[in-house]
Amino acid sequence: MAMWDRIKDQAKGLQQQAQGARGASAGGHGRPGSGSSGGSKAQLVNALKSQLTSLKTELKSGAYRDASMAMCALVAAADGHVDPAERQHVESLILNNDVLQNFPSEQLRQRFNKHVDQLAFNFQQGKAEALQEIAKAAKKPTEARAVVQTGFVVAGADGYVAPAEEQVLREACSVLNLSAQEFGL
């Protein structure tokens, strides 16, 4: 438990840095280089990635796997559509993620693509189904946080977390009974 407290303190410090930077820049949600908040978000993404890696041995359940794939699909489709290049990029991020290597790549690919296909066919219905899948991880707080962290890492892989991506991350926090503020959202 001491490790989790240390991780939370580190994330809280980065969140405070991000909020301070957000207040310093007009608007706070620009691409990297447009203000200091991009760097703070990048730092937060890196910290979350490190936290996930440190929890690798604990994150082996099917609920975490399935919720993470639903989260990744939601992030990829946050703006309402997923083009083939974006789909391929997120799939590559998933397959190369250290923690997700706990699972067979074909299982990950299959679950991710199922959710992306549902989101592409009917975004609102697909989103509702993805959030239901994500909510199943709420029973274990460590896994619930890891699902959001996984989504955040995928969202921030390009160095920028878009407002639509932040919104789906907030919605995931809500169904997982987590505070979005814990993740700087």
Side-chain angles (χ1 to χ4, degrees), residues 142-179:
T142 299
E143 289 184 5
R145 283 181 178 82
V147 168
V148 176
Q149 290 170 324
T150 301
F152 217 115
V153 167
V154 168
D158 60 358
Y160 172 72
V161 180
E165 293 168 335
E166 287 185 350
Q167 180 57 37
V168 296
L169 289 165
R170 277 192 291 276
E171 290 176 44
C173 287
S174 179
V175 300
L176 291 166
N177 301 313
L178 299 172
S179 168

Coordinates of all heavy atoms in Angstrom, one line a residue, residues 142-179:
T142 N -7.4 -0.6 -7.7 CA -6.1 -0.6 -8.4 C -6.3 -0.7 -9.9 O -5.7 0.0 -10.7 CB -5.1 -1.7 -7.9 OG1 -4.9 -1.4 -6.5 CG2 -3.8 -1.7 -8.6
E143 N -7.2 -1.7 -10.3 CA -7.5 -1.9 -11.7 C -8.2 -0.8 -12.3 O -8.0 -0.4 -13.4 CB -8.2 -3.2 -11.9 CG -7.4 -4.5 -11.6 CD -8.1 -5.8 -11.9 OE1 -9.3 -5.7 -12.4 OE2 -7.5 -6.8 -11.6
A144 N -9.2 -0.2 -11.5 CA -10.0 0.9 -12.0 C -9.0 2.1 -12.4 O -9.2 2.7 -13.4 CB -11.0 1.3 -10.9
R145 N -8.1 2.4 -11.5 CA -7.2 3.5 -11.7 C -6.3 3.2 -12.9 O -6.0 4.0 -13.7 CB -6.3 3.8 -10.5 CG -7.1 4.5 -9.4 CD -6.2 4.8 -8.2 NE -7.0 5.6 -7.3 CZ -7.8 5.1 -6.4 NH1 -8.0 3.8 -6.3 NH2 -8.5 5.9 -5.6
A146 N -5.9 1.9 -13.0 CA -5.0 1.5 -14.1 C -5.7 1.6 -15.5 O -5.1 1.9 -16.5 CB -4.5 0.0 -13.9
V147 N -7.0 1.4 -15.5 CA -7.8 1.5 -16.7 C -7.7 3.0 -17.2 O -7.5 3.3 -18.4 CB -9.3 1.1 -16.6 CG1 -10.1 1.5 -17.7 CG2 -9.3 -0.4 -16.4
V148 N -7.9 3.9 -16.3 CA -7.9 5.4 -16.6 C -6.5 5.7 -17.0 O -6.2 6.4 -18.0 CB -8.4 6.2 -15.5 CG1 -8.2 7.7 -15.8 CG2 -9.9 5.9 -15.1
Q149 N -5.5 5.2 -16.3 CA -4.1 5.5 -16.6 C -3.7 5.0 -18.0 O -3.1 5.7 -18.8 CB -3.2 4.9 -15.6 CG -3.2 5.5 -14.2 CD -2.5 4.8 -13.1 OE1 -2.5 3.5 -13.1 NE2 -1.9 5.5 -12.2
T150 N -4.2 3.8 -18.3 CA -4.0 3.2 -19.7 C -4.6 4.2 -20.7 O -3.9 4.5 -21.7 CB -4.6 1.8 -19.8 OG1 -3.9 1.0 -18.8 CG2 -4.3 1.2 -21.2
G151 N -5.8 4.6 -20.5 CA -6.4 5.5 -21.5 C -5.7 6.8 -21.6 O -5.5 7.4 -22.7
F152 N -5.2 7.3 -20.5 CA -4.4 8.6 -20.5 C -3.1 8.4 -21.2 O -2.8 9.3 -22.0 CB -4.2 9.0 -19.0 CG -4.2 10.5 -18.8 CD1 -5.2 11.0 -18.0 CD2 -3.3 11.3 -19.4 CE1 -5.2 12.4 -17.7 CE2 -3.3 12.7 -19.2 CZ -4.3 13.2 -18.3
V153 N -2.5 7.3 -21.0 CA -1.2 7.0 -21.7 C -1.4 7.0 -23.2 O -0.7 7.6 -24.0 CB -0.5 5.8 -21.2 CG1 0.6 5.3 -22.1 CG2 0.0 6.0 -19.8
V154 N -2.5 6.3 -23.7 CA -2.8 6.2 -25.1 C -3.2 7.6 -25.6 O -2.7 8.0 -26.7 CB -3.9 5.2 -25.3 CG1 -4.5 5.3 -26.8 CG2 -3.4 3.8 -25.1
A155 N -4.0 8.3 -24.9 CA -4.4 9.7 -25.3 C -3.2 10.6 -25.4 O -3.2 11.4 -26.4 CB -5.4 10.3 -24.3
G156 N -2.3 10.5 -24.5 CA -1.1 11.4 -24.5 C 0.0 10.9 -25.3 O 1.1 11.6 -25.3
A157 N -0.1 9.8 -26.1 CA 1.0 9.3 -26.8 C 1.5 10.3 -27.9 O 2.7 10.2 -28.2 CB 0.6 8.0 -27.5
D158 N 0.7 11.1 -28.4 CA 1.1 12.1 -29.4 C 1.6 13.4 -28.8 O 1.8 14.4 -29.5 CB 0.0 12.4 -30.4 CG -1.3 12.9 -29.7 OD1 -1.3 13.1 -28.5 OD2 -2.3 13.2 -30.5
G159 N 1.7 13.4 -27.4 CA 2.2 14.6 -26.7 C 1.1 15.6 -26.4 O 1.3 16.7 -25.9
Y160 N -0.2 15.2 -26.7 CA -1.3 16.1 -26.5 C -2.5 15.3 -26.1 O -2.8 14.3 -26.8 CB -1.5 16.9 -27.8 CG -2.8 17.8 -27.8 CD1 -2.9 18.9 -27.1 CD2 -3.9 17.4 -28.6 CE1 -4.0 19.7 -27.1 CE2 -5.0 18.2 -28.7 CZ -5.1 19.3 -27.9 OH -6.2 20.1 -27.9
V161 N -3.3 15.8 -25.1 CA -4.5 15.1 -24.8 C -5.6 16.1 -25.2 O -5.8 17.2 -24.6 CB -4.6 14.8 -23.2 CG1 -5.9 14.1 -22.9 CG2 -3.4 13.9 -22.8
A162 N -6.4 15.7 -26.2 CA -7.4 16.6 -26.8 C -8.6 16.7 -25.8 O -8.8 15.8 -25.0 CB -7.9 16.0 -28.1
P163 N -9.3 17.8 -25.9 CA -10.5 18.0 -25.0 C -11.5 16.8 -25.1 O -12.0 16.4 -24.1 CB -11.1 19.3 -25.5 CG -9.9 20.1 -26.1 CD -9.0 19.0 -26.7
A164 N -11.7 16.3 -26.3 CA -12.6 15.2 -26.4 C -12.1 13.9 -25.7 O -12.9 13.1 -25.1 CB -12.9 14.8 -27.9
E165 N -10.8 13.7 -25.8 CA -10.2 12.6 -25.0 C -10.3 12.8 -23.5 O -10.6 11.9 -22.8 CB -8.7 12.5 -25.4 CG -8.5 12.0 -26.9 CD -7.1 12.2 -27.4 OE1 -6.3 13.0 -26.9 OE2 -6.8 11.4 -28.4
E166 N -10.1 14.1 -23.1 CA -10.2 14.3 -21.6 C -11.7 14.0 -21.2 O -11.9 13.5 -20.1 CB -9.9 15.8 -21.3 CG -8.4 16.1 -21.4 CD -8.1 17.5 -21.0 OE1 -9.0 18.4 -20.8 OE2 -6.9 17.8 -20.8
Q167 N -12.6 14.4 -22.1 CA -14.0 14.1 -21.7 C -14.3 12.6 -21.5 O -15.0 12.3 -20.6 CB -15.0 14.7 -22.8 CG -16.4 14.5 -22.5 CD -16.9 15.1 -21.2 OE1 -16.4 16.2 -20.8 NE2 -17.8 14.4 -20.5
V168 N -13.8 11.8 -22.5 CA -14.1 10.3 -22.3 C -13.4 9.8 -21.1 O -13.9 8.9 -20.4 CB -13.9 9.5 -23.6 CG1 -14.8 9.9 -24.7 CG2 -12.4 9.5 -24.0
L169 N -12.2 10.4 -20.8 CA -11.5 9.9 -19.6 C -12.3 10.3 -18.3 O -12.3 9.5 -17.4 CB -10.1 10.5 -19.5 CG -9.1 9.9 -20.6 CD1 -7.9 10.8 -20.7 CD2 -8.7 8.5 -20.2
R170 N -12.9 11.5 -18.3 CA -13.7 11.9 -17.2 C -14.9 11.0 -17.0 O -15.3 10.6 -15.9 CB -14.2 13.4 -17.4 CG -13.2 14.4 -16.9 CD -13.8 15.8 -16.8 NE -14.1 16.4 -18.1 CZ -13.2 17.0 -18.9 NH1 -12.0 17.2 -18.5 NH2 -13.6 17.5 -20.1
E171 N -15.5 10.7 -18.2 CA -16.7 9.8 -18.1 C -16.3 8.4 -17.6 O -17.0 7.8 -16.8 CB -17.3 9.6 -19.5 CG -18.0 10.9 -19.9 CD -18.5 10.9 -21.3 OE1 -19.2 9.8 -21.7 OE2 -18.4 11.9 -22.1
A172 N -15.1 7.9 -18.0 CA -14.6 6.6 -17.4 C -14.4 6.7 -15.9 O -14.8 5.8 -15.2 CB -13.3 6.2 -18.1
C173 N -13.8 7.9 -15.5 CA -13.6 8.1 -14.0 C -15.0 8.0 -13.3 O -15.1 7.3 -12.3 CB -13.0 9.4 -13.7 SG -11.3 9.5 -14.1
S174 N -16.0 8.6 -13.9 CA -17.3 8.6 -13.3 C -17.9 7.2 -13.1 O -18.4 6.8 -12.1 CB -18.3 9.4 -14.2 OG -19.6 9.4 -13.6
V175 N -17.8 6.3 -14.2 CA -18.4 5.0 -14.1 C -17.5 4.1 -13.2 O -18.0 3.1 -12.7 CB -18.6 4.3 -15.5 CG1 -19.6 5.1 -16.3 CG2 -17.3 4.0 -16.2
L176 N -16.2 4.5 -13.0 CA -15.4 3.7 -12.1 C -15.4 4.3 -10.7 O -14.6 3.8 -9.8 CB -13.9 3.7 -12.7 CG -13.7 2.9 -14.0 CD1 -12.4 3.3 -14.6 CD2 -13.8 1.4 -13.7
N177 N -16.2 5.3 -10.4 CA -16.3 5.9 -9.1 C -14.9 6.5 -8.6 O -14.6 6.3 -7.5 CB -16.8 4.9 -8.0 CG -18.2 4.4 -8.4 OD1 -19.1 5.2 -8.8 ND2 -18.4 3.1 -8.3
L178 N -14.2 7.1 -9.6 CA -13.0 7.7 -9.3 C -13.1 9.2 -9.5 O -13.9 9.7 -10.3 CB -11.8 7.2 -10.2 CG -11.5 5.7 -10.1 CD1 -10.6 5.3 -11.2 CD2 -10.9 5.4 -8.8
S179 N -12.3 10.0 -8.8 CA -12.3 11.4 -9.0 C -11.5 11.8 -10.2 O -10.3 11.4 -10.3 CB -11.7 12.1 -7.8 OG -11.4 13.5 -8.1

